[in-house]
Amino acid sequence: MAQCKETAKEFIEDVFSPMVAVLCSAEVETVCQKNGLSFVELIQPFCRLTSEAHIRDPNNVSHPVRNLHIVVHDMNAHLPQNILAKKLLNDVVSNSLPQHSADIMQNNVVTVNNHDLQLDATTPWFEAYRSAFLQIAYPSDHEFLRHYLACIFVVSSSNADPIEQFVKLTHQQSIQQNQQPHKLPKWFMPNILRYYVLVHDVMEQEEAKAETVYQNLKAKYGVLSCHLLHINSRLPASATSGPSDSVNMPNPWSRFIAQKQEMSESAEFESFLRPGDEENDEFPTHVNEGSLQSVSTDVDLALEATEYDSSSSSSQVICHPLGPDSEVLYDPLTSDTDSAVSISSQFTANHAGSKPSADSSGLRCGSRSVPLGVCLTLSDHERLRIFINEFIVKGLISWAEKSIRTLNDQLTTRKGLHRSLFSATKKWFGGSRQTNPAIITNSTNVVYTSDAPEMQMRRLADLAFMFQLYELAYQIYHSAKKDFNNDHAWLHYAGAMEMACLSVFMQDSTNQRQYPLHYMETTITTYLAACKVPHFATRATLLSTEVLKAKGLFAEAAMQFIKMTSEESDLRSALLLEQAAHCFVKMKPPMVRKYAFHMILAGHRFNKSGQKRHALRSYAQALQVYKGRYWSMAEDHINYTIGCQSFNLKQFDVATSALKHLLSANSQQSLPQQTAFLREYLSVFKQLASQAPDDEERELPELPLPIVESNAIKILCASNAGLIQQDCLGLRIQATGVSFNTTDAENVRFARLEELIVSSISGPPSSSAMSFRPTIQCFTRTSNNTTSPVIAVEEPVTIEVTVINQLKVTLVLRDIRLLWRFTPDECGNAEKAFYSNEQSSNTPKVDENVIVSTPLSEVLLEGSETKQVCISLIIRMMGQLQITGLAYNIGCMSTSGQLLTSAVPDSVSLALGNSSVSAVLPPFSGANSSSLSSPILVSGKVHLEVQGPRLNSTKDERLGKMYGPDKRLNLIITDKMPKLEVFFREFPASLFTGQVCQASVELVNTGHRPLHNVFVATSNPEFLTFSSSPRKPETSEKQADDVGYSSDVIHRHDVTLVTKLDVTSPLDPGSSLVIPMWIRSPDVPGDHVIDFLFYYEPAEAVPHCRHRVLRHTAQLTVHPSLNIRAICGRMVNTGAADQAEDIYRSTNSVFVSLEVENICNVPSAPSLCAVQTLCLSEDWMIKEINSSALKQDVSIGVQECQLFTLKAVKCLHNSDKSSSNALKLSTVSCASDASKTNIPKYISIDFFFRANLGESSKSSRLAPSSFRFVSDLSSANGAESSLAGKLEKSFIFDLNLIIQWQAAKTDGNGATDAIVGQHHLTLNQLHTLITSPLQAKLPIDLPPIRFTSSHLPMLLLEPSSELLSQLVRFSFCYQCEAMHDFSQRRLCIVPVTVHLYNCTSVPVYVDVDTQAGHGRSTVSTSRNQHLQPYNPLFQGHPTRSFTWSGLTVTRIHLLPYCGQSICLKACFVTSGVYDLGTLQVLAFPAGDGDGISIQPTVQRLLSPALMTVHSRS
């Protein structure tokens, strides 16, 4: 809170200091004018007692008097009039505000409740107002505190007869004091102190004459009442004294002369208002007890005159602003009810015959040409100090001591009888009840004579209080207030109570009496309610609040300040509200919001009183509390008012800053109000910009609208592409490249492809992983911006800036351009010259040979809209380019949709808004939105600056806010480079699954340098293959195997994810190259995204760039076509006589069952036809079982299936021609003309290899390395020779099938197009269903991970139950039908031979159990019946029971790949159909099983064994 310079006690002592009048002769003023001062001004700095004096009370007890100050006034001076006093108070407050008050507040920052408030350390304007208010206050008859106690008569020794002059001055004062009615000035008592001073000019008068006059003076008036004062001990500007002597002399008059200057200026203002005779300048001298009306602020009312014929003269009466009334009232204190005396007439009578001289009030500061105190030395200063000390100690204090004793004796004698009589009467008749003056509505006029006991008591108490006898003063005040209350003299009562309260406070701390706060509350209420004298209420408030603040009672002080606010004086109310706000912030706990609220009220009252600077200061301090606290409406009100006041004070920068906060995103104002705010801001901003000189080139100012999200800036180093064209050769699709919409996921995918290409060129990934850095073509906030973007000369670079309109108003942005700073490389190491497109005298002019940019003409931003603005640059020189900002012209649209205009084009009148500020803030510029004068467009810029990512690697980075570098806006311009553009011709938008079509790629070099080494990588390597260099099978001759079949030999070739295109020579600028390619659609229906990355290198080395890349993302829709399911199994024993041949065929041949289903779901779905089947295998070849059935063209309609079976035969290896990577190709035609597919055989085989590569690459990327097949685990553990490995190897084989198909599709025009495709199947396990496309497999629950010691024996793998159920293949040889006469013989016996064959490479034991049961015991599966011939036809339908005769269990031993037969007999008791499969065959490997205990496992029956028994009747 603001602190006063004086303490509360010092302030009260100065307010109620003894007042002394001075009456000087004209010669004295002439002598003093040599120093540029009047006599009163000369002695004013020395009017404080520097030493301690003593005074005795009526009980003859000595009391110290410390730091006593006297108030010295010229007796002929008069108080200012009404309008003059108001102007004086306003000027005092206005001139007391420092010019740089903001800098003072910055040094006084106080933290209160999480608020860092910049408070005023002091409030000099309030202290100045308080001092001036108390100085110009008129003296009243109900108290004697403002009455003169003494009069100093001053005569110069240069006077012809000084003694006679003293007599004249004494007579003049005596006439003024004793005239009737009494006029100003008022005197304390008839017997005042008269003191005589003889002034001697040392430089001009004789010392002897002065001494003679002084001796005669002492003889006439006494030694203690006279003093000889020597002044002017040196000559000004003489040859003996240098000019530096006067400069180094102290100047104690400066602070007093400043107040005199304000009074002088106010006097000039008064003479301007009232030209005429100075004798008419009169002032009221009495206060009337009773009703008092408010003071009028109108000059005419202030100058109204009311004439009263009390004497021979008449005068005009002007109401003083601090006086009791603006009209002439009678004074009940000095007259009866039948007579009324004019205040002005009293003042005129008092001054009759004594016109004050022109210099009576001192020389005006404005006309001073002589330095202050120029003729005075330090000795003269000391003489002045001695003079005042002798006057106070020997004269004034002695007189006061005698007067106190005399008054006390008189009161003791006269008041004793008065009190006894009245107290007895009131006790018996009137009672002792006190009356509350606050409820008095009709004032009662009480008149006391000057020598009445009550007035003598008040005179004695006032005299004791002024000379620091506070205990005596309190006793008398307390006694007097009771008498005044009984007499209903409310003005006297309030005054006595006020001084009694202050007397308690001014006593020493040894006093046990508590401070009577209720006394002061009652005093203020009485002054306001009963007496209607706000002047004395204001004085009491000023005194009481200082006491309360000294005692720490800030809440009570604030309430008293607020109580005194009214509509009578806006200036007074503003100052008191401000002090109340400071009290609130000083409370414990501090009430910050109340502080801010009352500062706003104070600012409003300052504004009404015309104190614009104070109003601006008050609102600015209140804003500290409301700012950023989500009180948006209050904050808008404050900012709007600050803008208004700043504009009126011509502080356009402050007004712009305040209005800028009205345009925040959190604004809750309506659309019209926001439009008004924006209009005012643009108008004031335009006014601010127009203040700069026109001949200076200046930088553009920064604008708050729109908001630019700097970190969202994107730099695109490649041109936008992805155009679709139609030329004579067909559909032409340009590579999509990179755009601003590219996501981070896409960047990651293409970075992997680029790394794949770089590693395939430079070496293994391990050697290039450390140095690889992906090419960034679009720099965003998420990209790696530690390196600057590299742009080639003559290539465009596009910058995307995100602009946000946080208002509801539509903004208009015109002529949007980028601001940049370009430094060319051609300057070398010398001081580099740079180019800039901002206006500055230090930068050369920019032409189109450096940078070419086309600004955007106009962009409309709707309310609360976010929009991206894209601007392109073409740089034509090598160097460094820094993007610094965004420049534009901004305007706003009105609610009618037109560009907002202002009725005042280049100036606004913000003064219209200073009268009042309502909740809905009106526009203060006075612009009419409907007027069409000139559009409000303001030129400005927004600074662009990006912030790098937050660092979090070290402890210091985590604890502190540290950010990495971000070089997005610092571009490196390198030399010209090649630029590759890729066009895809006849690229399909939709395909069927497995469909194969042909397209082409066109490479065009649009750059300025040749390029070579073009590579391409794709996210789907199975999707395409380039046929520029077709691979032919290395061996095409027919090879005969042992069974008479023939096949082609295909050698495996390396298929990589990266393909080098056949660009034999560097591609020159402007040239193009077309490369054919084949496309096979994915096997999974749906929408697919296929990424292409083209890599190329400049033929000539270019700095900052080793290679460049081009991206393309293809969108492909895949529709379902075929669903192929396949399963293979061993051939069934036919029961031939040659068992060796049957064993060989069943061991080296398998059947392959194929089911082809048409699952097309598109409208007008075509009918498909399987054309041929290709087989790639090291050991197997396929052939048709029934060639005539496969040579027919079978059309498969929608939701139809075609079943056919092929036979795969195992080939014996030829050691001379076989190799590890040689595959046998065998073909089976499924149609009459197999050439209809139009797919070259090498393309079909290449797609097969790519499909396997794609699956393996995907599985390697997705599957963890710990998940492997059993065979891989066996190999890893060296367990290939284990039992499980041997068994598994017996059932694994490789059979790769390529099923080619064709269809005819009819387009909308009726044209028929042939489409072809192929599906891939890999059969590597018997009796396992394989589908194409592959069906999603359910996740397998893996066993929990166990952590064991590293010293463990080799992992023992147990064969699976599926393997163990297929160790032995068995079949029945029997008579399918039997005839039997059950009437002749009840039992029918049929011989059955069971053939057993060991299908593994290990010996096994077989147990044939004939008593296992009549039902099937094998595990049934839910596979398709057509594909599983071993399933029983009558599954779920039981048959009649029968029994076996002979051995119940037979065990035999089978060697690897060997067979054996056993003979059994089946016995039937009735006719029917029987299933011989009730026989159960169990098998298990022979030997110890590598330490694994294996139980016998039931073997699977491949086909049912049905037998029919007929009854012969």
Side-chain angles (χ1 to χ4, degrees), residues 821-870:
R821 179 188 179 101
F822 179 73
T823 304
D825 287 343
E826 59 188 14
C827 297
N829 296 328
E831 184 178 357
K832 295 186 177 182
F834 61 89
Y835 299 91
S836 177
N837 60 347
E838 288 195 46
Q839 295 182 0
S840 176
S841 57
N842 298 327
T843 57
K845 185 178 180 181
V846 182
D847 54 10
E848 294 185 355
N849 294 328
V850 180
I851 295 179
V852 178
S853 176
T854 303
L856 297 180
S857 60
E858 184 175 282
V859 173
L860 291 180
L861 279 177
E862 299 292 339
S864 304
E865 182 184 7
T866 301
K867 185 174 289 187
Q868 285 72 33
V869 177
C870 300

Side-chain angles (χ1 to χ4, degrees), residues 290-292 437-438 440-441 490-491 494 520-541 560-566 568 572:
S291 176
L292 183 65
I440 299 298
T441 57
W490 303 126
L491 185 60
M520 196 62 72
E521 294 286 351
T522 306
T523 297
I524 298 174
T525 304
T526 305
Y527 279 144
L528 291 175
C531 303
K532 302 297 190 296
V533 282
H535 161 236
F536 289 107
T538 303
R539 187 190 71 176
T541 301
Q560 289 190 2
F561 278 128
I562 297 172
K563 184 178 180 180
M564 277 308 300
T565 58
S566 64
E568 295 178 357
R572 181 188 67 196

Side-chain angles (χ1 to χ4, degrees), residues 1151-1169:
F1151 66 89
V1152 179
S1153 296
L1154 297 176
E1155 180 186 63
V1156 181
E1157 181 183 4
N1158 186 351
I1159 57 174
C1160 293
N1161 56 3
V1162 297
S1164 304
S1167 298
L1168 304 177
C1169 177

Side-chain angles (χ1 to χ4, degrees), residues 110-117 585 587 589-593 629:
V110 180
T111 302
V112 180
N113 294 344
N114 298 326
H115 294 267
D116 293 332
L117 303 180
V585 82
M587 293 173 58
M591 306 179 74
V592 182
R593 289 198 295 270
R629 300 290 174 177

Side-chain angles (χ1 to χ4, degrees), residues 1353-1420:
M1354 182 180 298
L1355 181 63
L1356 301 177
L1357 297 179
E1358 183 178 356
S1360 64
S1361 59
E1362 185 70 19
L1363 281 177
L1364 294 177
S1365 65
Q1366 302 180 36
L1367 298 179
V1368 174
R1369 183 169 58 85
F1370 62 97
S1371 60
F1372 297 92
C1373 183
Y1374 58 91
Q1375 184 180 357
C1376 295
E1377 293 183 0
M1379 300 291 295
H1380 184 73
D1381 188 2
F1382 291 97
S1383 60
Q1384 297 295 328
R1385 190 176 179 180
R1386 300 188 58 182
L1387 186 64
C1388 177
I1389 300 175
V1390 178
V1392 178
T1393 303
V1394 180
H1395 300 286
L1396 303 172
Y1397 179 74
N1398 184 3
C1399 300
T1400 66
S1401 59
V1402 296
V1404 296
Y1405 287 101
V1406 180
D1407 293 338
V1408 180
D1409 186 4
T1410 59
Q1411 302 296 324
H1414 302 286
R1416 290 193 58 202
S1417 61
T1418 58
V1419 179
S1420 61

Side-chain angles (χ1 to χ4, degrees), residues 994 996 1080 1122 1124 1154 1156 1168-1175 1194 1196 1202 1204 1225 1227-1231 1233-1248 1297-1303 1315-1321:
V996 178
R1080 180 182 177 271
L1122 292 179
I1124 302 178
L1154 297 176
V1156 181
L1168 304 177
C1169 177
V1171 178
Q1172 65 178 356
T1173 302
L1174 283 72
C1175 175
V1194 178
I1196 308 173
Q1202 180 184 5
F1204 57 91
L1225 174 64
T1227 305
V1228 174
S1229 298
C1230 301
D1233 188 3
S1235 61
K1236 293 181 180 181
T1237 58
N1238 295 327
I1239 305 177
K1241 186 177 294 186
Y1242 66 91
I1243 294 295
S1244 180
I1245 297 173
D1246 191 49
F1247 274 130
F1248 172 78
L1297 300 180
I1298 303 175
I1299 293 90
Q1300 296 181 349
W1301 52 268
Q1302 66 177 0
I1315 58 176
V1316 295
Q1318 64 182 33
H1319 281 62
H1320 306 146
L1321 291 170

Side-chain angles (χ1 to χ4, degrees), residues 4 147 242 278 308 331 350 489 595 600 866 1211 1310 1350 1352 1439:
C4 296
H147 293 194
E278 297 181 4
Y308 282 87
D331 190 355
N350 188 22
Y595 161 79
I600 293 176
T866 301
C1211 304
S1350 57
L1352 290 178
T1439 60

